[in-house]
Amino acid sequence: MTDVIEQTEAKGGGNPNKLVPYAVLAELTHRCPLQCPYCSNPVELERVKGEIATKDWIRVMDEAVDMGVLHIHFSGGEPTVRQDLEELVAHASKIGLYSNLITSAVLLSKERIQKLADAGLDHVQISFQDSTPELSDFVSGYKNGLEKKKQAARWVREVDLPLTVNAVMHRQNLHHLEDMIQMAVDLDAERIEVAQVQYYAWALRNRAAFLPTREQLDEAVRIVEEARERLKGVLAFDFVVPDYYAQRPKSCMGGWGRQFINITPSGKVLPCHAAESIEDLDFDTVGNKSLGWIWENSEAFNKFRGTDWMPEPCQSCDRKEIDWGGCRCQAFALVGNAAATDPACALSPDRHVLDEPLQEAMTEAPEFVYRRYGN
Amino acid sequence: MTERLVIDDSSTPKLPRHAKLRFDKPRDKWIILAPERVFELDEIAYEVVSLCDGERSLVDVVDVLATKFDQAPREAIHTDVTAMLQGLADKGFIVS
């Protein structure tokens, strides 16, 4: 998920030295009935006993608003397993945070959706694993999820909540991309995220099962470009491509510690949801420090903020304040050094580390390692 | 299924339910909040969007602006406002 900042004027305004965060991703829990092998949660899932309380989340939301945060994404795990979700949504609404529920939707009843709408929820995003029941069950490790998701999506639209279909795409379902887009139109979604799997955490373990071939990716680009034009004003598209095929890296999180805050179920505050994969980074928690203090002062947020930390070829690159050196977690995962240039950049001296996975994409897909406690 | 909104003189533009216009103090700007998007408005864009209440037609909006900014030719305002709102409509920030 990405927050996109659009402006009707050139960048700037306000105090250029003070960074104001835009969004908080609140991982309310890591519990989830689904077992998707590309889950963005860490491989070490947090347990229910460590989850912070309702009052802690409420305090954190108050602090976030004071800092200038605009969006709160209630996520997980599966956020609807938390029985205090309505209370948290109501508080977000009261203090003017734009609230988004990121859900698998398999646990949502019509009554619960009505309650969430009444509490002031602004938007719902439902993930879909495929357009067919068979592949949907196979990827999620959950029986009959597709029909439940579609039913929940209809209920969401019945109470007039805007809907995003999050279509998670990879080598095993890209041939259904057109059907996924049509499903979003049929469900009366406002928006579709054609989200190719990003290779961190569980997805990194299962990379060879998910990374598409170049041909598959080119076909997906063609389909999305055609549909985007055909459905202009009907369905909005966000298209995330696997950066292994890119020439330049993605501007991950809009730059480390510039726009985005992730809070884990136990209250750890991270610059992105995968940041714990980087060894030797210390994270503060909302239990001991205020969110504002953490944003400005914590070691983890300051470590890769701005451009001072950058090595060559980033340091002399004219794109250094466009892509911010790419992704720190990817540099750590693939190069073993979080302060290296993201190897997704063609200028990276470590670019060759992508050769092996790209070769694997052409061979038979291995079996999944499903996301579950103890796996 | 929704159809693409084409902005013309009789359109009565407004923000969709899921988009919220508000002033953001830390950034000192008017913004539109939408799912995973923040649209930061400059002064002109704010003048236009704040008039889009679902009651006024495009012609009414242009009339108000032409009175307020009387040094600009009405025809130029009409063209600019139509283009701006069509752009916002195509991104889902304006409905009619």
Side-chain angles (χ1 to χ4, degrees):
Chain A
M1 51 142 294
T2 325
D3 266 73
V4 180
I5 319 299
E6 296 190 60
Q7 292 158 317
T8 50
E9 59 177 37
K11 293 250 177 208
N15 177 353
N17 296 318
K18 188 162 169 65
L19 290 166
V20 179
Y22 282 85
V24 166
L25 184 85
E27 291 177 359
L28 299 182
T29 180
H30 280 167
R31 290 171 285 158
C32 184
L34 271 56
Q35 307 178 40
C36 306
Y38 50 65
C39 184
S40 63
N41 287 158
V43 176
E44 284 295 322
L45 295 166
E46 292 185 10
R47 306 273 172 170
V48 60
K49 64 176 191 311
E51 290 177 12
I52 61 174
T54 313
K55 65 171 175 26
D56 302 319
W57 281 115
I58 285 179
R59 173 178 61 84
V60 167
M61 283 193 273
D62 288 338
E63 292 172 352
V65 161
D66 287 346
M67 294 160 66
V69 168
L70 302 168
H71 277 136
I72 183 143
H73 304 281
F74 294 111
S75 179
E78 174 47 54
T80 61
V81 307
R82 289 268 309 215
Q83 293 309 305
D84 57 356
L85 182 61
E86 287 85 337
E87 197 178 339
L88 299 179
V89 166
H91 191 76
S93 175
K94 188 176 103 186
I95 61 178
L97 278 174
Y98 190 101
S99 58
N100 177 23
L101 176 64
I102 299 178
T103 178
S104 71
V106 298
L107 304 177
L108 277 172
S109 65
K110 190 175 180 178
E111 293 68 33
R112 191 108 197 258
I113 290 168
Q114 183 67 59
K115 277 190 201 162
L116 289 164
D118 291 345
L121 185 64
D122 290 303
H123 178 259
V124 178
Q125 172 174 320
I126 299 179
S127 64
F128 284 86
Q129 282 65 42
D130 193 51
S131 53
T132 67
E134 297 75 24
L135 198 46
S136 198
D137 286 3
F138 176 65
V139 173
S140 62
Y142 182 88
K143 289 277 169 236
N144 306 319
L146 179 61
E147 202 36 59
K148 287 182 185 169
K149 287 163 182 275
K150 284 179 161 177
Q151 182 56 65
R154 289 183 207 108
W155 287 329
V156 164
R157 295 299 297 127
E158 268 176 37
V159 296
D160 205 24
L161 277 169
L163 172 70
T164 289
V165 163
N166 183 263
V168 189
M169 307 308 294
H170 45 81
R171 70 181 278 186
Q172 307 207 31
N173 72 352
L174 266 170
H175 57 295
H176 291 155
L177 178 55
E178 289 188 81
D179 294 339
M180 294 285 263
I181 293 169
Q182 188 55 45
M183 184 173 70
V185 173
D186 293 343
L187 291 171
D188 195 26
E190 262 79 12
R191 192 167 154 268
I192 184 169
E193 277 185 19
V194 178
Q196 306 244 0
V197 170
Q198 303 283 303
Y199 300 101
Y200 306 101
W202 293 90
L204 185 60
R205 285 175 77 171
N206 287 292
R207 183 174 60 190
F210 287 129
L211 187 65
T213 63
R214 175 96 238 177
E215 289 68 34
Q216 281 183 302
L217 181 64
D218 289 345
E219 176 67 358
V221 170
R222 188 195 65 74
I223 289 170
V224 170
E225 282 177 357
E226 183 277 323
R228 197 198 293 266
E229 191 56 33
R230 177 166 52 85
L231 297 169
K232 194 183 260 188
V234 174
L235 185 68
F237 283 77
D238 265 347
F239 186 31
V240 180
V241 297
D243 53 8
Y244 283 44
Y245 290 103
Q247 290 301 303
R248 292 289 174 268
K250 59 180 177 278
S251 171
C252 198
M253 299 293 148
W256 181 275
R258 302 191 78 75
Q259 300 181 355
F260 184 85
I261 297 172
N262 189 99
I263 305 177
T264 76
S266 66
K268 260 185 272 183
V269 185
L270 319 177
C272 83
H273 56 267
E276 284 180 281
S277 65
I278 300 174
E279 284 167 19
D280 303 327
L281 262 191
D282 280 327
F283 301 103
D284 289 287
T285 78
V286 297
N288 346 337
K289 298 274 187 353
S290 76
L291 197 60
W293 187 93
I294 295 171
W295 173 254
E296 281 186 28
N297 302 301
S298 80
E299 186 211 333
F301 275 83
N302 283 320
K303 184 125 185 177
F304 304 112
R305 200 173 241 160
T307 57
D308 288 351
W309 62 273
M310 285 181 184
E312 290 295 348
C314 298
Q315 196 54 258
S316 54
C317 181
D318 60 6
R319 292 179 56 85
K320 72 177 173 181
E321 293 193 355
I322 296 171
D323 56 40
W324 302 99
C327 174
R328 298 305 87 227
C329 305
Q330 183 146 280
F332 182 80
L334 302 184
V335 181
N337 173 11
T341 297
D342 184 342
C345 181
L347 302 173
S348 159
D350 302 302
R351 177 76 169 184
H352 59 88
V353 299
L354 299 183
D355 293 347
E356 190 185 321
L358 292 175
Q359 279 300 317
E360 282 174 353
M362 320 269 256
T363 61
E364 198 182 339
E367 288 188 8
F368 290 146
V369 181
Y370 283 99
R371 172 223 197 261
R372 59 174 80 115
Y373 289 97
N375 221 358
Chain B
M1 181 178 127
T2 335
E3 304 225 329
R4 183 190 182 198
L5 170 63
V6 178
I7 300 286
D8 60 23
D9 286 355
S10 64
S11 305
T12 52
K14 63 176 178 190
L15 291 176
R17 194 184 95 89
H18 63 268
K20 292 183 171 170
L21 176 69
R22 74 168 168 89
F23 187 73
D24 184 53
K25 249 191 284 178
R27 295 173 186 79
D28 194 26
K29 277 181 184 170
W30 283 92
I31 52 169
I32 301 174
L33 281 171
E36 302 214 17
R37 280 196 146 62
V38 177
F39 202 98
E40 298 184 350
L41 300 170
D42 62 17
E43 282 169 36
I44 304 291
Y46 169 68
E47 291 285 348
V48 176
V49 171
S50 64
L51 294 169
C52 296
D53 57 4
E55 303 279 326
R56 288 189 187 90
S57 69
L58 179 83
V59 172
D60 298 337
V61 171
V62 172
D63 283 345
V64 174
L65 293 168
T67 311
K68 189 162 178 181
F69 302 99
D70 56 4
Q71 70 281 27
R74 190 182 183 287
E75 207 35 52
I77 294 178
H78 183 266
T79 308
D80 289 353
V81 169
T82 308
M84 175 192 289
L85 291 178
Q86 186 64 56
L88 286 170
D90 286 344
K91 289 177 176 159
F93 286 118
I94 284 286
V95 294
S96 183

